[in-house]
Amino acid sequence: MHELIDHPCVQHKLAIIRDEETGHKRFRELSKEITKFVCYEALKNIKVKKVTVKTPLADAICKKIDTDLVVVPILRAGVGMLEGILELVPTARVGFIGLYRDEDTKEPVTYYQRLPTQADGGTCIIIDPMLATGGSTVAAIDVLKAAGAGKIVVVCIVTCPEGLALVESEHPDVPVYAAAIDDRLDDRKYIVPGLGDAGDRLFGTSH
Ligand code: PRP
Ligand code: URA
């Protein structure tokens, strides 16, 4: 299952973040802003519990989040999305998975893993701006499932049909939420039109 967040406020920001003239400061701000909107949708079905709150006038029956949330940014570029989701769910805990795509094979290489233990019934949210071939996302889901994760949700900024197809065939139980589903991958397995190398644009590095 995947869902495109086609809201005008998200699409407006996406137009700016894609622009090659957008520098790393603005790119970072936009990653955070877009993430907040996409995560808002991705978390719409998490478990809540009813609570009674005393207003100055009477009791009000309210709802509070009743799910142990663990956010997992994929290093490096996923770090640019962390602030955005934590503004939405500030009590979430955070785990990290270090992965990079081998430049030649395009296969994911795992180099770091530090995950909190999660309560039964919790939800893990993987954040990574680019879901290209889908190899990195599948590898991250594999790591989380091996660590005992239950429900997993993926939030990205830009993806494409090839990547979605891989994730959906390998992990049909994991929904993907994205701000854009682009046309295709190029010969270097970059998303086209995409936004380029997200890690480099976020952190001001180059290959
Ligand atoms: C990028 C991106 C994803 C991965 C997507 O990371 O942030 O993790 O590529 O590609 P895939 O879907 O084909 O696996 P990259 O390997 O460039 O590492 P970085 O974040 O450290 O720059
Ligand atoms: N990684 C990126 O940063 N961009 C792409 O288009 C594909 C992988």
Side-chain angles (χ1 to χ4, degrees), residues 74-78 99-102 106-108 111 128-137 163 185 189-190 197-200 203:
I74 308 299
L75 303 177
R76 280 176 309 165
L99 274 173
Y100 68 88
R101 279 199 327 184
D102 181 277
K106 310 301 177 199
E107 291 296 321
Y111 62 88
D128 190 338
M130 310 307 283
L131 197 169
T133 64
S136 302
T137 300
L185 296 171
K189 304 292 182 196
Y190 273 75
D197 188 304
D200 285 346
F203 299 115

Side-chain angles (χ1 to χ4, degrees), residues 140-205:
I141 298 170
D142 289 342
V143 167
L144 290 181
K145 285 188 174 175
K151 192 167 186 315
I152 301 170
V153 170
V154 172
V155 173
C156 60
I157 295 179
V158 184
T159 186
C160 60
E162 292 94 322
L164 286 174
L166 185 73
V167 174
E168 285 171 359
S169 70
E170 296 289 316
H171 294 290
D173 55 314
V174 177
V176 177
Y177 294 82
I181 302 173
D182 280 4
D183 299 341
R184 62 184 176 88
L185 296 171
D186 69 7
D187 294 344
R188 295 184 311 144
K189 304 292 182 196
Y190 273 75
I191 299 173
V192 181
L195 46 74
D197 188 304
D200 285 346
R201 293 198 63 189
L202 261 171
F203 299 115
T205 50

Side-chain angles (χ1 to χ4, degrees), residues 1-20:
M1 195 285 276
H2 61 266
E3 187 173 326
L4 172 67
I5 313 306
D6 196 26
H7 191 288
C9 294
V10 176
Q11 295 306 314
H12 181 92
K13 289 177 192 299
L14 194 61
I16 306 170
I17 203 171
R18 284 188 194 273
D19 191 333
E20 64 180 359

Side-chain angles (χ1 to χ4, degrees), residues 27-175:
F27 192 96
R28 257 181 235 152
E29 292 165 353
L30 288 158
S31 296
K32 174 178 149 184
E33 292 163 13
I34 294 169
T35 300
K36 207 167 165 180
F37 282 117
V38 180
C39 288
Y40 178 78
E41 277 301 304
L43 296 177
K44 66 188 168 196
N45 292 321
I46 57 172
K47 198 169 148 228
V48 291
K49 64 178 174 197
K50 281 195 178 149
V51 294
T52 305
V53 174
K54 234 178 184 7
T55 78
L57 298 181
D59 282 354
I61 309 298
C62 302
K63 292 173 191 168
K64 281 194 169 177
I65 293 173
D66 189 27
T67 311
D68 182 30
L69 296 173
V70 172
V71 180
V72 183
I74 308 299
L75 303 177
R76 280 176 309 165
V79 172
M81 300 172 73
L82 185 57
E83 229 183 304
I85 184 167
L86 289 181
E87 281 189 1
L88 207 58
V89 284
T91 59
R93 290 173 302 128
V94 182
F96 292 91
I97 296 176
L99 274 173
Y100 68 88
R101 279 199 327 184
D102 181 277
E103 296 237 331
D104 299 320
T105 65
K106 310 301 177 199
E107 291 296 321
V109 180
T110 311
Y111 62 88
Y112 184 74
Q113 181 179 329
R114 187 86 166 93
L115 300 168
T117 49
Q118 187 166 41
D120 282 349
T123 297
C124 279
I125 306 117
I126 295 175
I127 49 174
D128 190 338
M130 310 307 283
L131 197 169
T133 64
S136 302
T137 300
V138 166
I141 298 170
D142 289 342
V143 167
L144 290 181
K145 285 188 174 175
K151 192 167 186 315
I152 301 170
V153 170
V154 172
V155 173
C156 60
I157 295 179
V158 184
T159 186
C160 60
E162 292 94 322
L164 286 174
L166 185 73
V167 174
E168 285 171 359
S169 70
E170 296 289 316
H171 294 290
D173 55 314
V174 177

